[in-house]
Amino acid sequence: MRKGRFRNINPLKWVGWLFTPIVRNGAFFVFMFALGWMCTQLELMPYYLRERGAKPYELTLPELFLDIYVLCVFLTLIPRKIRLWVKALLYIFLYGVAIVDVFCYVRFESTLTPTMLMLVAETSSQEAREFLSGYLSFAILMTSVGWILLLMLIHIIWTFIRRRLNNARRLMVLPKLNEGVVIGIQAVLGCLVAWCLYSSISQTWDNKVAMRRLFSCNTLGEVEREQNRKDHAKLYLPVYRLAFGIYANSLADQQLEQLEIAGGDQIQIDSCCFRIPDIVLVIGESYNKHHSQLYGYDKPTTPRQRAMAEEGSLVPFSDVVSSWNLTSFVFKHMLSLWAVGDSGAWCDKPLFPEVFRLAGYHVTFLTNQFLPHAKEAVYDFSGGFFLSDSVLSRRFFDERNTTLYRYDDGLLKELQQRDGKGRLTILHLMGSHVDYSARYPKAFRQFTPQQYNRPELTPKQLQTLAHYDNSLLYNDSILKAVTRHFADRDAVVIYVPDHGEEVFDSEPYTSGRLHNADIDYRLARNEMEIPFWIWGSPLYRKNHPYGWRAIQAAKDRPLMIDALPHLLLYLGGISTPLYRSELNIISPDYNVNRPRILKGTTDYDSLKQSNHKVLGDAKRQSRAQSSKFKVQSSK
């Protein structure tokens, strides 16, 4: 009996069933495909993006086919009456998300981001009404949003036409096609669908795997690491970007909750003597130590810092590394009293600004990067979400800026002289963040490609190199202005960039950072070794001679900047169980043998020793060959 049943099954019918999800959801398939394709095209319409070479996602068509076909399969499995309601809800949702996404692109030059969702969540009803009244107008129909609305209108008209056609078809007597012909047509269409599915899956499988990795991350740090991979997920549809924004915010909320628990009443302050009334921490950006004249670079990129060092007011530290080459990771490590190697995570310990504030210091945070805005990338969101949270921000800071500036001198205008027991000022600069050419005004265009004897570099690379060095020269003027501002106060200024940068110093010749590369000494030298110095005002050096000598004596000690908060607590004279003298670089108890683990995986000092050993062996071999050549020549 079973063999007889299988003999009656026509294999062409099985193939034809592959086309069934499209037949039963024809309008849904066509209009949602058109909606997805339209979004990928409209969001590259502005001329300034076309000029930069931006292109739509190259696998839009095959991946869109795969995504919508899979959705149609699920719809087919739902009973027809329920399916109609499910499709109606999907229409409302998908069209709505697309409109919002394209609207954001038109108004803010950015698609949906985690920061946008964070800002929406913090927006009051009155602010929402003011926003809608200010941005929604008839003129919006003349933008890319109008194309989405036009597609919706066509879809609505088609729905009414189709209903009339269905009613007319019921009244008509149509000739029946031969069953074999119908099965044959369905089989051909099924084969076409099978080929499209095979092609789509083979082309887009890597992106689906990358998306699964992205949505499997447990922390925002992992998300950022994932997004820095060359094969990172392409969130090419508005609905994917919305899902990612919700997911990223949920991960942020988990760490925000932990920070709230770690801070507040859990912080114990025994006493505070306000050892130094004015403490200034200047955090730079993307500073390659080996392009600093202060550290031996052959171009005058830091004449002001060098002059301060020569006069004795600035102490440059010689052996300092960053814990990561990503700003967000560094900020978390640098601000938290958690240190690399401790158990738990960075958010398990309070941030030092909150400790200073509870101790009685007036804390100011001025940043030229970490202000939430619509176009903020996931990297800035990851680095600044905990600083931008309205509740935590009030716990961390007494005041902070609300404006981003084109150049860093804008932040200097927000520096104010205040009287009081103690002031902690944190300045977060844009520094030498890419694009380097946008980081300095024309007045600082001192270096040109012709000044570099680097025949191994292309003209474009030489121009980038010149832009980078010019940005350092401008940064030098900013740092001098900061020290000048506090010159008549009992103050110290500490300068530390978040990480280094590749600037064509060694092969492979590149700029930026190599996020996916294994950490070798070449990478550590360019991206992890950073400048670090402490400047003391004349009044500070007079009032604290022992402290100044301790700073000078510590200048060659090894340091990783995740330990910085403990130096700051000491300078502030804050007595708390959170302080660890073994992490304070100017303390007699400082642990000079503490492992400096880069990116949580690689011991920097082991890399450095191995590199020196290799160089030493190479030099000895070269000298031996040279001696052998001399002996042979003398013979």
Side-chain angles (χ1 to χ4, degrees):
M1 289 295 293
R2 291 184 178 178
K3 290 183 179 179
R5 286 180 182 177
F6 282 112
R7 287 197 191 102
N8 294 330
I9 293 176
N10 189 337
L12 294 179
K13 281 188 175 183
W14 286 94
V15 177
W17 284 344
L18 287 173
F19 190 64
T20 301
I22 298 177
V23 171
R24 295 185 180 178
N25 305 281
F28 181 88
F29 184 90
V30 171
F31 282 102
M32 292 304 95
F33 191 95
L35 178 65
W37 181 83
M38 189 176 287
C39 288
T40 63
Q41 305 304 308
L42 290 176
E43 291 169 342
L44 289 174
M45 283 297 189
Y47 70 92
Y48 50 83
L49 285 178
R50 292 202 302 271
E51 288 180 349
R52 295 174 192 167
K55 297 177 181 179
Y57 175 47
E58 63 273 13
L59 298 177
T60 293
L61 294 180
E63 190 153 2
L64 197 54
F65 175 86
L66 178 62
D67 289 347
I68 298 177
Y69 182 83
V70 171
L71 192 53
C72 287
V73 169
F74 283 109
L75 288 172
T76 303
L77 299 176
I78 300 174
R80 186 176 182 279
K81 290 184 178 180
I82 300 176
R83 187 194 316 154
L84 294 175
W85 287 102
V86 172
K87 283 198 287 190
L89 293 174
L90 283 173
Y91 285 142
I92 295 171
F93 175 69
L94 294 175
Y95 274 121
V97 173
I99 289 171
V100 171
D101 193 67
V102 175
F103 174 81
C104 291
Y105 194 81
V106 169
R107 288 299 184 188
F108 308 117
E109 301 178 13
S110 172
T111 54
L112 285 171
T113 64
T115 303
M116 283 189 187
L117 297 185
M118 181 185 71
L119 293 173
V120 169
E122 296 178 351
T123 301
S124 65
S125 58
Q126 180 180 350
E127 291 172 330
R129 287 194 298 270
E130 291 173 354
F131 174 84
L132 293 175
S133 62
Y135 282 104
L136 293 185
S137 63
F138 182 78
I140 200 69
L141 298 177
M142 302 297 106
T143 67
S144 297
V145 177
W147 289 105
I148 305 295
L149 296 175
L150 178 61
L151 181 64
M152 285 180 60
L153 179 61
I154 295 172
H155 192 167
I156 293 171
I157 293 173
W158 162 251
T159 301
F160 284 108
I161 293 175
R162 187 184 60 179
R163 285 182 179 177
R164 294 206 170 192
L165 289 174
N166 288 339
N167 292 333
R169 194 180 296 118
R170 292 192 190 99
L171 299 175
M172 296 173 63
V173 180
L174 298 174
K176 290 186 178 181
L177 292 175
N178 182 279
E179 184 181 358
V181 173
V182 173
I183 292 175
I185 293 174
Q186 290 177 340
V188 171
L189 294 174
C191 289
L192 179 61
V193 170
W195 179 83
C196 290
L197 285 174
Y198 172 77
S199 177
S200 298
I201 292 172
S202 61
Q203 292 183 73
T204 65
W205 181 255
D206 288 343
N207 193 46
K208 294 305 182 190
V209 171
M211 289 177 68
R212 182 183 179 280
R213 286 199 312 265
L214 178 64
F215 285 96
S216 299
C217 294
N218 296 316
T219 66
L220 275 179
E222 291 180 18
V223 167
E224 187 175 359
R225 245 183 300 179
E226 179 61 36
Q227 289 294 74
N228 273 296
R229 292 174 59 127
K230 290 182 179 180
D231 58 344
H232 66 84
K234 311 299 190 300
L235 304 176
Y236 74 108
L237 289 178
V239 67
Y240 288 150
R241 293 190 282 269
L242 174 64
F244 173 66
I246 295 172
Y247 184 68
N249 275 276
S250 69
L251 294 178
D253 288 342
Q254 295 173 17
Q255 295 188 328
L256 290 175
E257 290 175 5
Q258 189 57 39
L259 274 179
E260 289 185 17
I261 295 172
D265 296 336
Q266 299 299 314
I267 299 175
Q268 178 184 334
I269 305 294
D270 297 327
S271 63
C272 179
C273 67
F274 301 96
R275 181 176 283 115
I276 302 175
D278 269 294
I279 301 174
V280 185
L281 174 63
V282 184
I283 304 174
E285 171 70 53
S286 302
Y287 202 127
N288 185 313
K289 170 183 176 179
H290 307 286
H291 282 250
S292 169
Q293 181 190 14
L294 187 64
Y295 288 91
Y297 188 50
D298 61 358
K299 295 286 188 296
T301 54
T302 58
R304 299 165 187 85
Q305 293 170 63
R306 185 176 181 182
M308 289 189 288
E310 290 175 349
E311 73 180 14
S313 63
L314 183 151
V315 177
F317 284 64
S318 62
D319 189 7
V320 181
V321 296
S322 179
S323 56
W324 269 83
N325 58 352
L326 287 172
T327 302
S328 60
F329 277 88
V330 174
F331 245 75
K332 293 164 186 172
H333 292 176
M334 193 189 300
L335 296 182
S336 173
L337 285 156
W338 177 90
V340 174
D342 292 350
S343 61
W346 69 275
C347 52
D348 293 332
K349 294 286 182 69
L351 306 191
F352 77 77
E354 184 176 9
V355 178
F356 267 82
R357 195 159 181 265
L358 290 175
Y361 270 80
H362 183 97
V363 180
T364 300
F365 179 54
L366 304 177
T367 177
N368 211 17
Q369 288 190 57
F370 286 163
L371 286 181
H373 55 95
K375 294 191 290 183
E376 189 173 62
V378 67
Y379 323 111
D380 290 330
F381 174 78
S382 176
F385 74 91
F386 58 98
L387 300 174
S388 300
D389 179 76
S390 56
V391 175
L392 289 177
S393 182
R394 287 192 294 269
R395 277 174 37 176
F396 298 158
F397 312 116
D398 291 286
E399 59 184 311
R400 55 182 301 174
N401 61 309
T402 57
T403 303
L404 293 174
Y405 298 94
R406 181 178 181 184
Y407 301 119
D408 284 332
D409 61 357
L411 286 183
L412 300 180
K413 301 171 186 176
E414 304 216 22
L415 279 176
Q416 298 181 24
Q417 297 276 16
R418 282 187 172 82
D419 295 323
K421 290 183 179 179
R423 293 153 298 276
L424 171 66
T425 304
I426 303 172
L427 283 171
H428 179 211
L429 307 178
M430 184 64 78
S432 297
H433 196 294
V434 292
D435 172 17
Y436 311 137
S437 63
R439 297 294 160 253
Y440 63 92
K442 292 182 179 179
F444 287 84
R445 193 175 296 169
Q446 176 172 319
F447 303 108
T448 62
Q450 293 73 28
Q451 296 175 349
Y452 297 88
N453 183 23
R454 299 288 302 278
E456 71 275 18
L457 300 183
T458 67
K460 185 177 180 180
Q461 289 173 329
L462 287 171
Q463 183 62 72
T464 300
L465 176 57
H467 284 316
Y468 184 80
D469 286 350
N470 285 326
S471 73
L472 298 187
L473 180 64
Y474 175 64
N475 183 74
D476 182 62
S477 72
I478 299 298
L479 296 176
K480 176 61 178 179
V482 173
T483 60
R484 189 185 304 120
H485 184 86
F486 292 93
D488 60 348
R489 306 179 74 85
D490 188 349
V492 294
V493 175
I494 299 173
Y495 175 68
V496 56
D498 52 0
H499 52 70
E501 192 90 336
E502 299 282 346
V503 202
F504 312 113
D505 287 338
S506 52
E507 293 185 285
Y509 295 116
T510 184
S511 60
R513 278 159 283 155
L514 303 175
H515 296 293
N516 296 333
D518 293 331
I519 304 178
D520 54 15
Y521 182 68
R522 190 208 67 79
L523 185 144
R525 180 182 185 275
N526 294 330
E527 302 185 29
M528 306 293 196
E529 293 182 0
I530 54 174
F532 177 89
W533 51 253
I534 300 177
W535 173 88
S537 69
L539 192 57
Y540 166 77
R541 284 176 279 147
K542 176 183 177 182
N543 293 344
H544 310 273
Y546 296 108
W548 186 242
R549 282 201 289 270
I551 291 172
Q552 292 173 314
K555 66 183 181 65
D556 294 319
R557 288 178 173 177
L559 173 68
M560 189 162 72
I561 58 174
D562 63 312
L564 181 62
H566 299 275
L567 167 65
L568 295 171
L569 290 178
Y570 172 79
L571 295 177
I574 301 173
S575 177
T576 171
L578 294 165
Y579 168 71
R580 293 151 66 181
S581 60
E582 70 273 15
L583 296 178
N584 172 15
I585 191 171
I586 67 173
S587 168
D589 301 327
Y590 181 68
N591 181 10
V592 295
N593 297 315
R594 178 191 176 222
R596 293 186 284 177
I597 307 300
L598 308 179
K599 299 177 76 169
T601 61
T602 307
D603 189 302
Y604 166 76
D605 293 292
S606 296
L607 280 181
K608 192 173 183 180
Q609 290 172 8
S610 298
N611 180 74
H612 288 170
K613 184 178 184 301
V614 170
L615 291 178
D617 291 344
K619 288 181 180 179
R620 283 191 292 272
Q621 184 178 1
S622 177
R623 285 197 296 268
Q625 291 176 347
S626 178
S627 300
K628 183 177 180 180
F629 176 76
K630 288 179 179 178
V631 171
Q632 291 176 346
S633 297
S634 63
K635 290 180 179 180

